Amino acid sequence: MNEVIKLLNHHRSLRKFTDEKLSEETIRTLVGAAQSASTSSYVQAYSIMGVTDPEKKKALREISTQSYVEHNGHLFVFVVDYYRHQELAKKTDADISIDKTENLIVGVVDASLAAQNMAVAAESMGLGICYIGSLRNDVKKASEILGLPDGAFPLFGMVAGYPTEEGSQKERLPFEAVYHENTYQRIDEVEDDIEAYDQRVSDFYSERTEGKRDDKWSGQVINMLSKKQRLDVDEVLKEKGFLGQ
Amino acid sequence: MNEVIKLLNHHRSLRKFTDEKLSEETIRTLVGAAQSASTSSYVQAYSIMGVTDPEKKKALREISTQSYVEHNGHLFVFVVDYYRHQELAKKTDADISIDKTENLIVGVVDASLAAQNMAVAAESMGLGICYIGSLRNDVKKASEILGLPDGAFPLFGMVAGYPTEEGSQKERLPFEAVYHENTYQRIDEVEDDIEAYDQRVSDFYSERTEGKRDDKWSGQVINMLSKKQRLDVDEVLKEKGFLGQ
């Protein structure tokens, strides 16, 4: 196993950082690595924001509810972004409406590939990172804070910084349950693997909390998916020109 | 600049490979690296398929129209996948409908972060990769070929293999146009940067084709976005339980 794969396999989300800020050079290195990722048909349908204004960080923290949105080495926000394409198109006769699911998918994929490259680059430099999906708790307000025009919306944040914790990893689903050869395996073919996995996850929590918590993976994610949250994302995206009217 | 960042910055999509197939061990390493990426609230809303059946590869190539979908070291397909969550939830009283944009976004992000980790891992092993977004030319047919149930759809493919070409890189948008500090920059603040970039892209094509081609980035992407393609993605995703009815 080479060093890069060791680095990837060692990933853990970190949420506690020193006060040291990322240098301009580090920020440029991270953005450059992000931009090196593949992009669908060269479209580059994303922007990356850096948030350093304390008022804005505080306001974004209130949306996210996570303290590390305010306290970190740098706060990035990955934006799905067709605004610049639309502005450039205005000088031509082209109609580049972005109201199809395909347009949304392309932007989300583009931004995510870039972000994961940044995550890997950051970790290779000894930084810790954590994705902030909770900015989508209020996409409209987050857009206002960042001054995002129509055609652009905040997909997620990423905090980076010099970590003061080691963090821990949560075991992933077993290979047998996630990887399918040629034909997708139905639930009866994988449920034994998932059951054994559930037990390992439960044991992990139990060990870490001295028995106070022993939830299984399936229970945890079913509970999470049962919560009807972020229902306004549909509407806000439509207001911004995505997903039809 | 460390070796990992050099690797990331060196990325180029490769499309020509030897006949050598990826070993089972390599496939497991790549899937493991993919799974190490962050996942939203531990949900792991994706599966990874490996396609080795020549008939299936041929059928997927017909959808994509790209010959390298058939000729490669291995063909992966990244699937946005809530099927297993839904099946597990059936044993409980939980309602985990996935018809909100938020559910779609979470799945697309999860699958994309995993895929980019796989891309980095593959390149660190000397393999070349190329994303295959063109599987979305016919999401319904691709789903049928792979036997995907409701709650799951093919987001994109990725070919990997031992490359027989060096490939080339297309310059990305300048840092100044992509990175915004605190407040999103409107078009008038970045259009000079984009214009200069357009010229560099045009020069690059012109040099490579001895003047036969000199299109700019903006022209290229406006043209691409003007094509109303993959309009059926909306409908197929709705049939599969995504994005409301």
Side-chain angles (χ1 to χ4, degrees), chain A residues 11 35 37-38 42 44 50 52-53 74 81 102 116-117 136 171-173 179-180 182 184 217 230, chain B residues 11 35 37-38 42 44 50 52 74 81 102 116-117 136 171-173 179-180 182 184 187 217 230:
Chain A
H11 165 71
Q35 289 192 267
S38 291
Y42 205 15
Q44 306 180 74
T52 53
D53 178 335
H74 202 69
D81 189 357
E102 170 66 11
Q116 187 56 18
N117 253 20
R136 292 198 307 280
E171 184 181 333
R172 299 300 194 244
L173 280 163
Y179 185 76
H180 311 248
N182 290 315
Y184 188 92
W217 173 77
R230 303 178 189 163
Chain B
H11 165 71
Q35 288 191 269
S38 290
Y42 206 15
Q44 306 179 74
T52 53
H74 202 68
D81 189 357
E102 171 67 9
Q116 187 55 20
N117 253 20
R136 293 197 305 281
E171 184 181 333
R172 299 299 194 244
L173 280 163
Y179 184 76
H180 310 248
N182 290 314
Y184 188 92
I187 194 72
W217 174 76
R230 302 178 189 163

Side-chain angles (χ1 to χ4, degrees), chain B residues 92-154:
Chain B
T92 74
D93 290 334
D95 162 24
I96 60 159
S97 51
I98 53 163
D99 59 348
K100 299 302 174 205
T101 302
E102 171 67 9
N103 305 119
L104 178 68
I105 287 175
V106 163
V108 173
V109 170
D110 259 28
S112 299
L113 301 187
Q116 187 55 20
N117 253 20
M118 181 184 282
V120 173
E123 291 181 349
S124 80
M125 297 168 83
L127 296 163
I129 66 102
C130 186
Y131 282 89
I132 315 286
S134 50
L135 288 190
R136 293 197 305 281
N137 287 344
D138 195 337
V139 174
K140 192 181 181 79
K141 194 163 180 187
S143 295
E144 285 165 6
I145 293 165
L146 300 168
L148 296 183
D150 285 352
F153 75 90

Side-chain angles (χ1 to χ4, degrees), chain A residues 194-236:
Chain A
I194 294 177
E195 205 172 299
Y197 171 66
D198 261 345
Q199 193 55 54
R200 292 196 298 277
V201 170
S202 176
D203 292 347
F204 168 82
Y205 283 122
S206 186
E207 205 170 292
R208 282 217 315 181
T209 62
E210 292 174 347
K212 282 180 201 146
R213 182 179 167 184
D214 65 351
D215 41 339
K216 300 174 173 178
W217 173 77
S218 59
Q220 219 182 102
V221 296
I222 289 169
N223 184 39
M224 193 274 286
L225 290 168
S226 306
K227 289 181 199 156
K228 301 297 166 199
Q229 57 179 1
R230 303 178 189 163
L231 301 183
D232 59 324
V233 171
D234 295 65
E235 195 186 319
V236 180

Side-chain angles (χ1 to χ4, degrees), chain B residues 40-59:
Chain B
S40 177
S41 304
Y42 206 15
V43 67
Q44 306 179 74
Y46 64 93
S47 285
I48 302 172
M49 300 199 59
V51 189
T52 53
D53 178 336
E55 289 305 310
K56 294 197 182 215
K57 288 181 87 166
K58 190 167 174 238

Side-chain angles (χ1 to χ4, degrees), chain B residues 9-20:
Chain B
N9 290 352
H10 186 265
H11 165 71
R12 44 206 70 199
S13 296
L14 298 181
R15 299 172 177 85
K16 291 178 185 159
F17 309 102
T18 70
D19 289 336
E20 188 178 346

Side-chain angles (χ1 to χ4, degrees), chain B residues 20 71 117 160 200 228:
Chain B
E20 188 178 346
H71 304 292
N117 253 20
R200 291 196 299 277
K228 302 296 166 200

